[in-house]
Amino acid sequence: MATYPLLFDLPVQKPTTRDIANTVKASGTAGLTDAERRADEARYQEVLCRSALNAVKGMPFNWTLNPYRGCTHGCHYCFARRYHVQFEMNADDEFASFILVKRNFIEVLKRELDRPSWKRELAALGTATDPYQPIEGQYRLTRGTIEALAHARTPAGLVTKGPMVVRDSDVLGELTRAVGCTVYMSVPTVDEEAWRILEPGTAHPLQRLRAVRTLVDAGINAGVLMSPIVPGFSSSRDKLERTMKSIADHGARFVGCNVMHLEQGTRDHFMKFLARGFPSLVPRYQKLYARKYAPDAYRKEVQAMVRVLQRRYGQSKREDAAQTSPPSETAPAPEQVGFAW
Ligand code: SF4
């Protein structure tokens, strides 16, 4: 029998996200034997997605795009931690060290954007993971997503803590010129201690602000989200003022702010993180976060302080900057806060 050299890669069938959840349920993450361990100690599992555009309700946008799940930036307050439990993984270490990579994301997205029924509504990138976490350097799924959006004349907003975003200034510029695009760089604080404690896998805040400057210089509508402000860690007037001044010094086009909220897996993780490293703060947090959001009075106090600083440093406000305030139907009733940080 004749034999022939292989001139093409044999297609290797990737699991779906449901397959992953079933495997982890049966045998834990140890059951994901195909996942690749890289130098950053995180493990990356390629998966196939059925859809790329994800419909959402109650947000300032109707569609989200997340080419990855999990995030090696590992911010302790990250609201997306709770989503990892959908894959039967935990919201603690596994959120930051077990990353799902949607290998076919761009191809699926292009098909969806080509549908005659697609109305070219705003799509939000980076709502459940950081689209510029380090692995993007290899897979370039975010870049491919922006290219596909520009081609399909679909406007976008993108939230990130990754200075790698400047790599894509060219395609972000194309999208801006074609139909509009806003980049929200998340820099909750420039305080080094708070940054090290709360955001262990992220780039230095000033590096992020330099990225904002580069994007603005390239003609992209880029600003900063001081979000979330974490009570007791980044909420003092001095830290807020240093952060606002730095943002202004780097030419951000706008600033949004939000106080941290805690729910489900994120709440559990954050309280464990406090108990481990800052046990004296636990009782105060239990009081401040008796519910999902900090009390109205506390949030208003912080936001008023930020507004004063915005005016002082000539920064415009961005009300639609991804969740500047919690939806009114879920916001807690006004109440007196017994302490101020
Ligand atoms: S960078 Fe964003 S998505 Fe990643 S852990 Fe931090 S808050 Fe979460």
Side-chain angles (χ1 to χ4, degrees):
M1 187 196 301
T3 57
Y4 302 94
L6 280 177
L7 298 175
F8 50 85
D9 289 336
L10 287 172
V12 179
Q13 192 58 34
K14 303 288 181 196
T16 63
T17 47
R18 183 43 38 206
D19 296 334
I20 294 294
N22 289 339
T23 306
V24 176
K25 195 170 188 176
S27 33
T29 51
L32 298 178
T33 50
D34 286 346
E36 189 189 342
R37 187 181 291 283
R38 295 172 59 90
D40 58 7
E41 287 299 306
R43 294 172 75 195
Y44 294 89
Q45 173 69 55
E46 293 186 357
V47 296
L48 295 181
C49 59
R50 290 202 187 90
S51 61
L53 283 160
N54 176 48
V56 292
K57 286 195 167 34
M59 306 288 279
F61 39 78
N62 295 327
W63 302 94
T64 61
L65 290 166
N66 290 290
Y68 307 100
R69 293 306 287 267
C71 182
T72 55
H73 288 161
C75 308
H76 290 294
Y77 51 69
C78 178
F79 68 91
R81 283 182 174 274
R82 64 198 172 94
Y83 302 144
H84 231 44
V85 300
Q86 291 167 352
F87 306 111
E88 304 288 344
M89 293 189 222
N90 69 46
D92 298 309
D93 287 350
E94 286 176 352
F95 169 78
S97 65
F98 226 106
I99 311 300
L100 302 185
V101 178
K102 299 177 187 172
R103 196 76 176 86
N104 59 340
F105 192 81
I106 298 168
E107 170 192 328
V108 173
L109 175 63
K110 283 180 177 166
R111 274 204 306 271
E112 292 175 341
L113 294 173
D114 273 351
R115 284 182 193 147
S117 58
W118 174 242
K119 295 194 171 66
R120 300 193 169 99
E121 290 178 83
L122 179 85
L125 270 107
T127 54
T129 183
D130 196 313
Y132 287 105
Q133 59 182 298
I135 196 64
E136 166 63 14
Q138 174 175 331
Y139 283 96
R140 300 165 78 89
L141 296 178
T142 300
R143 183 179 175 86
T145 298
I146 298 163
E147 286 169 336
L149 293 171
H151 181 76
R153 301 188 64 77
T154 294
L158 185 155
V159 187
T160 185
K161 281 190 176 77
M164 196 196 300
V165 63
V166 301
R167 179 201 67 186
D168 293 342
S169 297
D170 55 341
V171 284
L172 288 165
E174 273 170 39
L175 182 58
T176 299
R177 288 186 293 278
V179 67
C181 167
T182 300
V183 174
Y184 303 87
M185 181 62 79
S186 165
V187 185
T189 182
V190 295
D191 183 77
E192 296 233 353
E193 197 188 357
W195 161 60
R196 282 209 182 88
I197 293 169
L198 295 168
E199 304 168 355
T202 58
H204 191 283
L206 293 185
Q207 204 184 336
R208 288 179 244 165
L209 290 178
R210 284 194 289 272
V212 171
R213 156 86 65 202
T214 304
L215 293 174
V216 170
D217 288 349
I220 295 154
N221 186 34
V224 174
L225 295 182
M226 285 173 70
S227 187
I229 290 166
V230 183
F233 289 92
S234 54
S235 56
S236 72
R237 187 184 174 108
D238 165 61
K239 290 178 185 176
L240 293 176
E241 177 146 16
R242 277 191 287 127
T243 304
M244 187 65 77
K245 180 174 184 320
S246 237
I247 291 169
D249 288 347
H250 285 83
R253 302 273 301 267
F254 56 82
V255 180
C257 101
N258 193 16
V259 175
M260 180 179 73
H261 73 278
L262 287 177
E263 60 180 322
Q264 297 167 5
T266 304
R267 168 184 288 271
D268 297 342
H269 171 82
F270 197 84
M271 295 311 281
K272 279 188 262 178
F273 151 79
L274 280 185
R276 249 189 345 262
F278 308 90
S280 64
L281 295 184
V282 171
R284 300 169 86 179
Y285 260 87
Q286 280 166 341
K287 185 176 176 196
L288 192 63
Y289 284 94
R291 292 181 243 176
K292 176 173 159 183
Y293 295 105
D296 251 0
Y298 182 83
R299 288 187 288 110
K300 282 183 181 156
E301 196 179 320
V302 172
Q303 281 164 351
M305 216 188 304
V306 169
R307 269 197 295 279
V308 168
L309 295 171
Q310 273 175 318
R311 281 198 291 275
R312 178 170 304 163
Y313 292 98
Q315 283 295 297
S316 65
K317 186 167 141 192
R318 182 77 185 187
E319 278 298 359
D320 62 344
Q323 282 190 295
T324 49
S325 58
S328 55
E329 66 275 16
T330 52
E335 61 183 82
Q336 199 55 45
V337 193
F339 48 83
W341 281 342

